[in-house]
Structure formats: C-alpha cells, structure tokens
Amino acid sequence: MPKMKAAVFVEPGRIVLESKPVPDVGPLDALLRVTTTTICGTDVHILRGEYPVSKGLTIGHEPVGVIEKLGSAVAGFQEGQRVIAGAITPSGYSNACLCGQHSQDGAGTRHGFRPLGGWRFGNTIDGCQAEFVLVPDAMTNLAPVPDGLADEQVLMCPDIMSTGFSGAESGGVRIGDTVAVFAQGPIGLCAAAGARLMGATTVIAVDTVPARLAMARALGVDHVVDFKHEDPVQAILRLTDGRGVDVAIEALGTQATFEGALRVLRPGGTLSSLGVYSTDLHIPLDAFAAGLGDNKIVTSLCPGGKERMRRLMSVIASGRIDLKPLVTHRFTLDRIEEAYDLFANQRDGVLKVAISV
C-alpha cells in the first residue's frame, strides 16, 4: 500500500510527522496531491488539547493542490487540474445545505443538521497537512484555480479569507458604515478588508502587535487602536464622536474582545462574532441596554463549497485585495513540527506560514 507523510495528532502537545497510507478514492471523492497548505489557529487549539479530535488524525483544513485521482462518479474535473477545496466541505444535499447553511451540514442525520458538521478536514476526517488528502463530495467542493494565480495567492481562500469576509457579510455591512474589528490576526485582517470591500467608509482595527497594526494599515483600515496604549472602547467612541459603530466584528474569542465589541455598538448595531470561545461569556447589563437596544449578535463559521471558493479567488484575481503578504514564514512539510512551534508561540512576527509539500 502506498505511503505518504502526514502531520498527525498524537496527544495534547504533540502533532508529529508520520507515515500513513495514501487514501483510497471512493466514487464521489477526489485524491488531491497537496502542493501548499498552512497552519490555522484552530490547529493550535487541537495541538493544545483545547479542541478534541481523535488520536492519529491528520490535521489541517486549507489545501491547494493538483487532482491526483478522481472517483468514478466525479464529472466536470480532470486529473492534473490545479484546485483548492474549502476548509468546510459540505455534502451539498443535506437539509442544512439546502437551507444555505453549509457549515452546519448534517448529511446522514435524522434532521439534516449538525453543529459544525461541514468542518470535516482535520476534525472528523484526515486533513491537509500531508502529501495527499481525500476530498469528499468532490463535485461540491473542488474549485479550479484561475490561470496566473500562484499557490500563496489563493492559500487564504479555504479558511482565513472566507471566515474573515463572513464576519463582514453576517454583520450586514453596508455602504457608508463604520466598522470596528477587534483583533488583527489573519482572520481579523481579512474581516477588516472584507468590510472595506462591502462599502464601509470607516474601518477601525484594534490590536497591540506592531506588525499586525502595520498590516491592517497596508490593507486599508482608516484607524488603528493599540489597546495597550488606550482603552479601545473610549478610543472608538471618540473616533465616532460618541455615536458608536454600525458593525463590530469580534475576531479573537475572549471576554474582553466580545465585551468591547458590544460596548462600541450604536443602538441597533450588529456584533458579528468570529471568535472561537473556550469559556462562558458574560453579557454586561449596561452594554446590552437591558435587552432593549435593538442590537443583534450573530455568529459565523467559515463558509465553504466550490462556489464560495470561486468567488473568493475572483476577488484575488481582480486585484481588489492581495493577501499574499499575510504569509510571513515558509517551511517544507518535513519541517512542520518546527512551523507549529513558531506559529503556536507567535514568535518572529508570524501571521501565516506556508507549508510546501
């Protein structure tokens, strides 16, 4: 049986490179030879044991690659074709998918819904930090890479770009809006860029890491707030002349950022939450206006599927945004344990790492 190298979860604190069998291809699947992938903050949660997965699982959910083999029932694609697949790989036929909620795909369940059900790579099936990955429901999830786009140009599309943009989309950003984005990691940076693309005329970025604030400016935000130098709530209220923002996007997953986002909303504004929370949240009564402020709190999980990927790559191809600068470090698959150490400990100004296979 052919073997491949893969980054495997062994136990909390240990993701190691091991040899595993190359997956068999079912009728609706595609075997992708991975050319470039990356490490996500969610992978770090897995590494630390903060999000449970099975021991022996291959980690990763952001693949760029070439179709190695197609299942017998797959049409519309060809072997040797460059493609990406989203971090979320919906079946396309469940009740959730037919409601447009692909990330909550419950294919095979009684009611057709399952929380986080669309997230399969590196969660419920083997993921992408490997030489090969099996893409389920290939006709729903494979998206051809446009000619002229390099791997690193589309590397953010499967997750970071899709998730960040969804924060602006779920928040209902409109032309002329003022938007605050709490945390400028890769997802927050993409959320700020997405808000601008949707028509926000004032975007305020909150963080404290100089490299992240500089990247936010490079992506076009209008104001940056360093929360170590000033209270972000007071700063944002000052910048908006006391009005507050139309949409606040929370992109970290802590009580402080969630509460800050809630406190800067104007009456009737929307808090769009992208964070992954590991503890219960407390909603302050005053910030919540006793439940009478006409505010909305919405959550989002990265949208997936081939049409989502096509649209995101179209944005890249149009030149309206360039996310390649988010790749600050590069490693080969053989050095992925070193890459995890750097990324998990946020050293050397790292934003995203590119893993070439």
Side-chain angles (χ1 to χ4, degrees):
M1 182 177 292
K3 299 284 188 176
M4 66 176 186
K5 297 175 183 177
V8 172
F9 175 76
V10 177
E11 61 186 3
R14 289 188 65 205
I15 290 176
V16 301
L17 195 64
E18 292 188 353
S19 179
K20 295 183 72 169
V22 175
D24 292 327
V25 181
L28 293 174
D29 302 330
L31 183 66
L32 192 65
R33 176 170 56 83
V34 180
T35 54
T36 308
T37 187
T38 184
I39 299 173
C40 178
T42 306
D43 301 330
V44 175
H45 285 297
I46 292 171
L47 171 66
R48 293 172 175 163
E50 297 166 350
Y51 184 89
V53 299
S54 299
K55 293 181 179 180
L57 188 75
T58 302
I59 305 305
H61 49 261
E62 297 156 281
V64 184
V66 175
I67 297 174
E68 182 78 7
K69 186 176 180 181
L70 290 170
S72 59
V74 177
F77 297 91
Q78 58 187 5
E79 293 173 1
Q81 189 173 17
R82 288 183 68 225
V83 294
I84 64 172
I88 301 300
T89 53
S91 65
Y93 58 81
S94 69
N95 294 52
C97 287
L98 295 175
C99 288
Q101 296 172 323
H102 304 90
S103 301
Q104 315 304 324
D105 181 21
T109 66
R110 180 181 175 188
H111 299 292
F113 292 84
R114 179 187 292 129
L116 283 66
W119 175 29
R120 294 190 272 182
F121 286 146
N123 182 24
T124 58
I125 64 174
D126 279 336
C128 312
Q129 291 168 12
E131 293 180 291
F132 295 93
V133 63
L134 191 70
V135 180
D137 298 300
M139 288 188 289
T140 302
N141 292 301
L142 291 181
V145 177
D147 293 340
L149 291 186
D151 281 16
E152 287 189 11
Q153 288 179 279
V154 300
L155 182 58
M156 302 304 143
C157 295
D159 183 0
I160 299 303
M161 184 181 181
S162 187
T163 299
F165 278 24
S166 75
E169 292 165 313
S170 296
V173 174
R174 298 184 299 175
I175 292 171
D177 271 355
T178 297
V179 178
V181 184
F182 283 74
Q184 290 296 286
I187 286 177
L189 288 165
C190 289
R196 279 178 49 83
L197 284 173
M198 292 186 69
T201 49
T202 303
V203 179
I204 305 166
V206 180
D207 209 289
T208 192
V209 179
R212 295 185 174 191
L213 293 174
M215 184 62 70
R217 287 193 182 279
L219 289 174
V221 305
D222 301 283
H223 305 280
V224 297
V225 174
D226 185 337
F227 65 78
K228 285 191 176 179
H229 292 160
E230 57 184 332
D231 179 83
V233 173
Q234 293 179 10
I236 291 169
L237 291 177
R238 185 185 71 251
L239 288 168
T240 59
D241 193 28
R243 174 183 182 273
V245 302
D246 301 286
V247 180
I249 301 174
E250 196 288 315
L252 184 60
T254 68
Q255 175 67 36
T257 49
F258 180 88
E259 185 173 331
L262 188 61
R263 289 188 179 279
V264 300
L265 287 180
R266 65 161 172 81
T270 299
L271 192 165
S272 180
S273 172
L274 296 173
V276 178
Y277 302 93
S278 55
T279 60
D280 290 343
L281 288 171
H282 170 70
I283 298 180
L285 184 65
D286 60 333
F288 195 49
L292 303 174
D294 287 333
N295 295 119
K296 296 178 183 177
I297 299 174
V298 295
T299 64
S300 303
L301 175 60
C302 173
K306 66 182 181 183
E307 172 61 7
R308 176 68 170 185
M309 296 301 106
R310 183 198 68 79
R311 287 175 175 269
L312 296 178
M313 288 190 289
S314 179
V315 174
I316 297 292
S318 72
R320 282 171 169 77
I321 188 172
D322 179 12
L323 297 177
K324 188 177 177 182
L326 295 187
V327 178
T328 55
H329 296 73
R330 294 166 178 83
F331 297 84
T332 61
L333 182 62
D334 288 336
R335 297 174 59 204
I336 195 165
E337 293 175 43
E338 181 184 345
Y340 263 102
D341 183 64
L342 172 78
F343 186 74
N345 291 290
Q346 289 293 293
R347 294 197 306 271
D348 195 27
V350 65
L351 282 173
K352 290 290 284 184
V353 300
I355 308 296
S356 57
V357 182

